[in-house]
Amino acid sequence: MATILSGKECAAAMHEELKIKVDELKNKHNLTPRLAVILVGDDPGSVSYVRGKEKDCLRVGIEFQLHKFDTDYSEADLLALILQLNDDHAIHGFIVQLPLPGHINEEKVLYAIDPEKDVDGFHPVNIGRMMIGAQCFLPATPHGIQQLLVRNNIPIEGQHVVIVGRSNIVGKPLAMMLVQKKQHANATVTLCHTRTKNLADITRTADILVAAAGRPDTITRDMVKENAVVIDVGVNRINDPTKKQGYRLIGDVDFTTVCEIASAITPVPGGVGPMTRTMLLHNTIQAARNHAGIS
Ligand code: GUN
């Protein structure tokens, strides 16, 4: 049976470390890291993510500022707010929660954010820096996956990592991070997607298999090599009348059967999700240090 890789436990340990860093900034440098989040509309997933981010910030001592708007908030007003936050010295980092309503051009919005405040790591400048292995804000989900592997002593170097899903916020950046000629990387990476032929033949060669397709049962037992490490990035809402909210969350992996063959696996919820939120805190603290010129 697979070991359960608890992101919840790993994130809790990281929160303790981050709280110490924040306390040190407050006590030694009179500096309190401050994160702003822009939320447009009432997408239930986004509202719940943002609430979680606020809770995490308060736990480690980061100040949190929410800018919440109705779905019909205009693109022009959003771009104006971004420029205002770019110039606001009291805000060290900010993010615009995605997805945005259809009338707002996501690309325009992400390009407008000052890369030095882009703690999501979504601005093309940060993505480019990441690709060449330079200093940058790393995107939270791939960074969280890397930390979860490292902190559970799972080797990455020389391993075959197969990623299923090529999104700009998970699959593509994770491939780029793990292939770097660096510590905690040096993997051989295969990036698969909806047009990949013979997907199961490829996933069965993975030492580390990452499911980030956004679809339940993307990975079934027959697609996993014995003793592989399986990372499930999926967060899918499934109707469940027995639950108070009327739904429950499941990942992209058929957890019960894959548990029988994998050596380690992340649960959903409580796996990658808490790590993602934690890496945003890490970036916000880094942004505050950069702002104050503390190395
Ligand atoms: N929507 C889903 N994940 C993310 C994230 O990491 N950052 C932002 N801004 N929006 C998201």
Side-chain angles (χ1 to χ4, degrees):
M1 276 302 269
T3 302
I4 305 298
L5 298 172
S6 170
K8 201 172 159 188
E9 278 174 24
C10 192
M14 288 193 75
H15 286 163
E16 295 304 314
E17 296 169 18
L18 294 173
K19 188 169 183 332
I20 291 168
K21 285 192 177 171
V22 172
D23 287 345
E24 192 184 289
L25 285 179
K26 286 182 182 176
N27 297 333
K28 273 201 196 156
H29 302 278
N30 195 25
L31 176 67
T32 301
R34 222 166 272 115
L35 172 74
V37 173
I38 304 174
L39 173 61
V40 184
D42 50 10
D43 174 74
S46 294
V47 170
S48 139
Y49 282 137
V50 169
R51 211 175 285 136
K53 285 169 184 171
E54 178 172 17
K55 222 166 70 183
D56 288 349
C57 279
L58 300 183
R59 190 178 294 157
V60 303
I62 294 175
E63 281 186 17
F64 180 91
Q65 192 180 85
L66 177 62
H67 299 260
K68 190 175 183 315
F69 303 98
D70 291 338
T71 310
D72 61 1
Y73 190 58
S74 76
E75 183 183 278
D77 284 345
L78 176 56
L79 292 170
L81 174 59
I82 290 171
L83 295 185
Q84 188 190 313
L85 291 173
N86 283 345
D87 288 340
D88 184 346
H89 293 294
I91 296 295
H92 303 117
F94 67 96
I95 68 165
V96 180
Q97 185 65 32
L98 304 177
L100 286 165
H103 66 280
I104 299 178
N105 182 328
E106 189 176 296
E107 198 174 300
K108 255 195 211 170
V109 166
L110 296 180
Y111 276 59
I113 299 172
D114 178 350
E116 304 307 319
K117 292 196 174 185
D118 169 38
V119 285
D120 255 335
F122 290 172
H123 190 284
V125 165
N126 278 313
I127 295 167
R129 286 179 183 156
M130 177 190 61
M131 179 162 172
I132 61 171
Q135 278 287 335
C136 64
F137 292 118
L138 293 170
T141 301
H143 196 193
I145 292 170
Q146 187 184 38
Q147 282 297 309
L148 191 62
L149 293 169
V150 168
R151 286 166 180 260
N152 281 281
N153 299 314
I154 294 168
I156 301 173
E157 179 158 318
Q159 300 297 291
H160 185 204
V161 178
V162 176
I163 303 166
V164 183
R166 56 177 154 184
S167 70
N168 284 337
I169 65 174
V170 184
K172 279 193 256 180
L174 181 63
M176 212 39 71
M177 281 171 63
L178 296 184
V179 84
Q180 296 292 323
K181 194 170 185 173
K182 278 189 178 182
Q183 196 190 18
H184 307 325
N186 269 318
T188 303
V189 179
T190 303
L191 187 51
C192 302
H193 48 77
T194 39
R195 293 287 180 271
T196 298
K197 282 187 196 162
N198 306 325
L199 179 64
D201 288 342
I202 299 171
T203 59
R204 271 194 297 269
T205 67
D207 302 307
I208 299 172
L209 178 56
V210 181
R215 190 177 45 122
D217 289 328
T218 298
I219 302 298
T220 48
R221 190 185 195 279
D222 57 304
M223 298 168 79
V224 181
K225 182 170 78 173
E226 200 169 342
N227 289 325
V229 173
V230 178
I231 305 293
D232 192 349
V233 189
V235 184
N236 305 293
R237 282 188 179 197
I238 295 292
N239 288 336
D240 185 345
T242 70
K243 299 284 177 196
K244 196 171 67 189
Q245 314 94 313
Y247 68 88
R248 67 190 158 92
L249 298 180
I250 62 165
D252 288 356
V253 176
D254 178 17
F255 184 83
T256 313
T257 62
V258 171
C259 259
E260 294 164 7
I261 189 160
S263 64
I265 186 168
T266 59
V268 177
V272 173
M275 294 303 293
T276 296
R277 279 162 36 189
T278 304
M279 301 327 291
L280 176 66
L281 306 178
H282 166 91
N283 281 354
T284 304
I285 295 167
Q286 190 57 51
R289 294 178 76 91
N290 295 348
H291 171 81
I294 306 164
S295 58

